[in-house]
Amino acid sequence: MKHILKILGLLVTVSAIWIGLLQASIVSSSYAWLLPVYLIVLLGCYGLFMVGVGLMFFPTCPQESHLLQKDIAEAKDFLKRKGIDVNSD
Amino acid sequence: MEKNMYSIIIPTYNERLNIALVVYLVFKHLREFDFEIIIVDDSSPDGTQDIVKQLQLLYGEERILLRARKKKLGLGTAYCHGLKHASGDFVIIMDADLSHHPKYLPSFIRKQKETEASIVTGTRYVRGGGVHGWNLMRKLTSRGANVLAQTFLWPGVSDLTGSFRLYKKSVLEDVIGSVVSKGYVFQMEMIVRASRKGYHIEEVPITFVDRVYGTSKLGGSEIVEYLKGLIYLIFAT
């Protein structure tokens, strides 16, 4: 099934619940009409929160740069010994 | 037990120094495995092919295949071209600029053997993985892009744009045929299509040392390209 259909299915379900709430008057009418707005705002907040958390805990590896330099030196040394001339940039 | 053969496809353009380093490191880390390296060079003006020919003399032409092309064409077509010459039952794709370190190759292979996955993709965004060389802005756009993709696309992997991957050869052939995007959206479409087709995908942490960033900008046009790609994938997969 195409992904967009899954998303539409989800939207249809949420809309059905929303219309149900409006009809059944469980929640006060004025709030019920604004529910979609609340949901979108909630989604936005969730997104921003996830970006913030991800940024805070962004995995970094500073030691890898150092290890890479060692590997490069080792490789260059080997290539030089074998007579392969790579002009460094 | 049958011995598996791994075909490593590395597209190159002006990677005269890096390709020699990468080849050395691949041979260093894959000593117990049966493999070949397929270098798809797009007629680099810096003499990359000369270096590759020298490497062929050193390591053997059965181990290093030079399959060049006449001009600079896309990444996707480079993989297709390399795939035609691959004789392994597994294909590994990686970059030539040492942002993908060959020391992770055994972990890809091990993961695939343990889980019998169809695809093993490297992820920079989990514990054990990581990135070096990105400033705050770059990390922000990366994280924002990832959150957007996870929220709306449900891709099934944590690193969507990564290009350090191991595929079963038949799976790569199947998926690559249905991909139309170019650039890094190509990598996104590959993994999403594979996920939609129900292929078993596993991830391994990798570290990514970006020595190129700073010279290549992540500007507005890249962001637009990404968003267009994301919308395309939401509707087309």
Side-chain angles (χ1 to χ4, degrees):
Chain A
M1 193 208 290
K2 287 238 187 290
H3 186 71
I4 186 68
L5 292 177
K6 284 190 215 155
I7 293 187
L8 285 173
L10 194 65
L11 284 174
V12 163
T13 315
V14 170
S15 307
I17 295 171
W18 178 51
I19 293 169
L21 279 174
L22 281 171
Q23 303 240 317
S25 303
I26 298 170
V27 183
S28 150
S29 184
S30 51
Y31 288 136
W33 276 108
L34 287 175
L35 270 177
V37 179
Y38 294 150
L39 282 175
I40 292 173
V41 169
L42 200 64
L43 189 67
C45 290
Y46 166 79
L48 286 172
F49 174 75
M50 290 304 285
V51 171
V53 166
L55 209 55
M56 254 203 316
F57 296 108
F58 204 105
T60 56
C61 49
Q63 75 284 3
E64 288 296 327
S65 177
H66 179 63
L67 289 171
L68 183 61
Q69 291 310 317
K70 282 172 75 180
D71 281 333
I72 291 175
E74 180 189 318
K76 277 188 179 169
D77 184 57
F78 174 84
L79 293 166
K80 206 166 166 194
R81 279 188 281 122
K82 296 290 178 179
I84 296 182
D85 173 34
V86 276
N87 303 324
S88 325
D89 38 26
Chain B
M1 187 173 75
E2 269 176 43
K3 203 148 192 257
N4 294 126
M5 184 4 181
Y6 299 90
S7 296
I8 304 171
I9 300 178
I10 307 180
T12 60
Y13 188 75
N14 283 347
E15 297 286 5
R16 185 193 159 91
L17 169 61
N18 286 330
I19 193 61
L21 303 175
V22 168
V23 167
Y24 168 78
L25 290 169
V26 170
F27 274 89
K28 177 180 173 186
H29 290 281
L30 282 187
R31 268 194 252 273
E32 321 98 63
F33 298 102
D34 198 10
F35 67 94
E36 62 183 1
I37 303 176
I38 303 170
I39 297 170
V40 181
D41 183 68
D42 285 355
S43 293
S44 301
D46 73 344
T48 299
Q49 291 189 31
D50 295 327
I51 292 296
V52 174
K53 291 190 180 125
Q54 288 185 54
L55 291 166
Q56 283 180 311
L57 289 174
L58 181 57
Y59 290 106
E61 277 184 28
E62 346 71 66
R63 305 286 242 148
I64 299 181
L65 280 61
L66 176 61
R67 299 290 178 261
R69 301 194 296 178
K70 295 264 176 346
K71 56 182 192 154
K72 197 168 194 284
L73 300 162
L75 203 61
T77 50
Y79 295 136
C80 285
H81 187 76
L83 199 52
K84 282 199 273 272
H85 305 280
S87 39
D89 9 36
F90 292 94
V91 177
I92 296 170
I93 62 165
M94 57 188 290
D95 290 350
D97 63 0
L98 281 175
S99 54
H100 297 155
H101 198 302
K103 68 184 176 188
Y104 292 107
L105 288 170
S107 68
F108 279 85
I109 293 172
R110 227 177 302 127
K111 187 70 163 186
Q112 193 284 324
K113 286 202 168 123
E114 279 166 11
T115 60
E116 293 185 23
S118 298
I119 302 174
V120 179
T121 177
T123 170
R124 299 162 283 184
Y125 302 141
V126 299
R127 169 158 285 159
V131 178
H132 178 80
W134 282 5
N135 63 9
L136 185 64
M137 201 55 208
R138 182 69 184 84
K139 286 183 195 170
L140 180 65
T141 44
S142 155
R143 188 60 198 156
N146 200 271
V147 169
L148 269 179
Q150 297 297 335
T151 307
F152 294 107
L153 192 58
W154 316 342
V157 292
S158 61
D159 189 344
L160 209 58
T161 55
S163 50
F164 197 178
R165 296 183 181 153
L166 177 150
Y167 293 84
K168 274 188 189 163
K169 184 154 158 227
S170 55
V171 173
L172 181 57
E173 283 165 345
D174 179 30
V175 179
I176 209 166
S178 46
V179 171
V180 297
S181 306
K182 310 246 181 281
Y184 61 82
V185 182
F186 167 85
Q187 302 294 357
M188 292 165 64
E189 191 177 352
M190 284 290 289
I191 206 71
V192 172
R193 288 222 182 261
S195 177
R196 304 290 188 242
K197 283 181 190 249
Y199 285 118
H200 181 181
I201 303 173
E202 290 285 339
E203 289 191 301
V204 291
I206 56 163
T207 56
F208 183 95
V209 178
D210 197 340
R211 300 183 296 156
V212 173
Y213 179 66
T215 54
S216 65
K217 293 179 300 199
L218 194 73
S221 62
E222 276 83 13
I223 295 176
V224 168
E225 186 188 341
Y226 176 82
L227 290 172
K228 277 162 61 173
L230 194 59
I231 291 170
Y232 164 74
L233 289 173
I234 289 170
F235 283 90
T237 62

